[in-house]
Amino acid sequence: MKSRSKMSKARPVRKRRTAREDADLRTGSRAPHAAVPATLEAGIGAEVRRLRKSLDLTVAELGLAAGISAGMLSKIENGAISPSLATLKALAQALNVPISALFAETEERRDCSFVKTGRGVRIERRGTKAGHLYDLLGHSLRGEIAVEPYLITLRRNAVPYTNFRHGGVEFIYMLSGKVRYLHADRSYLMEPGDALFFDAAARHGPEELIETPMQYLSIIIYPRRD
């Protein structure tokens, strides 16, 4: 019998997804599909808008810095016109990015924040003085919605603090310990595995520390300001 020669395994070739394949990606939630720019002009416009907002600039301010009218910049951001290379160069300089950044493929480049265990950024918040430790586990880099996930630790010397109040909504998931958590005019006994989701505009916070030390996840979600 003829012996078969050993062949090395070829690395799989990564193919771009088709529109049909993208439409088939369902999560079962009611989240809308991710918006993918339909044209090059739309992609450039979306990237210009994202970069402008990240610098907290208005359309008029960026237009002035780039030497183009606010009306033209608005058309560029909406993908209504195809800007010249000279215009793109002026915009890139005003945004302090290389011109290639305006051609970013938004389909492949999506935000992702990875934090190794014990490497969260320690944040000072109003409850810090009460012995509450806040480790930020990640952050959303862009988009209209901001998300702040915290690992909150209350040591044995911590004290109750119920004067938190801010915009957006908050989700809490209890990991260890036991606490009575206040929201508005009601309080909830929370033990490991319990979850609480609420409007963060009402006064809230740990009202009674029953079993310390304790840890819980707190995820704050709120709209970004333009």
Side-chain angles (χ1 to χ4, degrees):
M1 296 180 65
K2 294 182 178 180
S3 60
R4 296 182 179 180
S5 60
K6 294 183 179 179
M7 300 181 62
S8 60
K9 293 183 179 179
R11 296 181 63 183
V13 178
R14 185 177 182 182
K15 298 180 179 179
R16 291 176 62 87
R17 295 194 305 268
T18 65
R20 176 181 289 274
E21 288 171 333
D22 276 334
D24 289 339
L25 295 178
R26 297 287 190 263
T27 64
S29 75
R30 299 193 179 194
H33 294 297
V36 178
T39 64
L40 176 62
E41 290 80 7
I44 291 173
E47 193 65 14
V48 169
R49 183 187 299 110
R50 183 191 70 77
L51 290 168
R52 174 178 63 78
K53 289 186 175 183
S54 71
L55 295 175
D56 199 24
L57 294 173
T58 65
V59 170
E61 289 170 339
L62 178 56
L64 182 63
I68 63 177
S69 68
M72 177 178 285
L73 178 54
S74 180
K75 290 180 179 179
I76 292 173
E77 289 192 353
N78 291 323
I81 61 174
S82 181
S84 66
L85 285 176
T87 298
L88 291 176
K89 181 179 179 181
L91 283 170
Q93 290 176 339
L95 293 166
N96 196 29
V97 297
I99 193 170
S100 59
L102 304 182
F103 294 86
E105 293 187 9
T106 56
E107 178 187 359
E108 297 301 326
R109 193 191 67 188
R110 298 292 183 181
D111 286 347
C112 182
S113 178
F114 175 66
V115 177
K116 291 289 288 183
T117 180
R119 298 291 182 87
V121 179
R122 184 62 52 85
I123 301 294
E124 294 284 331
R125 294 183 64 196
R126 281 174 289 175
T128 301
K129 294 181 179 179
H132 303 191
L133 305 180
Y134 305 93
D135 292 313
L136 185 62
L137 301 182
H139 63 287
S140 52
L141 305 177
R142 59 175 65 89
E144 298 179 354
I145 302 298
V147 180
E148 296 179 3
Y150 292 96
L151 174 63
I152 300 180
T153 304
L154 276 66
R155 294 175 174 171
R156 296 189 186 279
N157 61 345
V159 296
Y161 187 85
T162 58
N163 287 324
F164 290 109
R165 178 178 285 175
H166 51 83
V169 295
E170 185 168 350
F171 173 78
I172 287 178
Y173 183 81
M174 203 70 188
L175 298 174
S176 63
K178 187 183 299 186
V179 64
R180 189 169 294 279
Y181 200 92
L182 175 72
H183 176 257
D185 59 348
R186 297 187 61 184
S187 62
Y188 304 85
L189 177 63
M190 299 192 66
E191 301 175 289
D194 291 344
L196 189 63
F197 183 64
F198 54 85
D199 181 346
R203 189 167 67 94
H204 58 275
E207 181 180 41
E208 182 184 358
L209 311 184
I210 300 173
E211 185 180 312
T212 58
M214 68 178 67
Q215 282 190 323
Y216 55 90
L217 289 175
S218 169
I219 302 175
I220 301 172
I221 306 168
Y222 57 91
R224 295 186 193 274
R225 294 181 179 178
D226 291 341

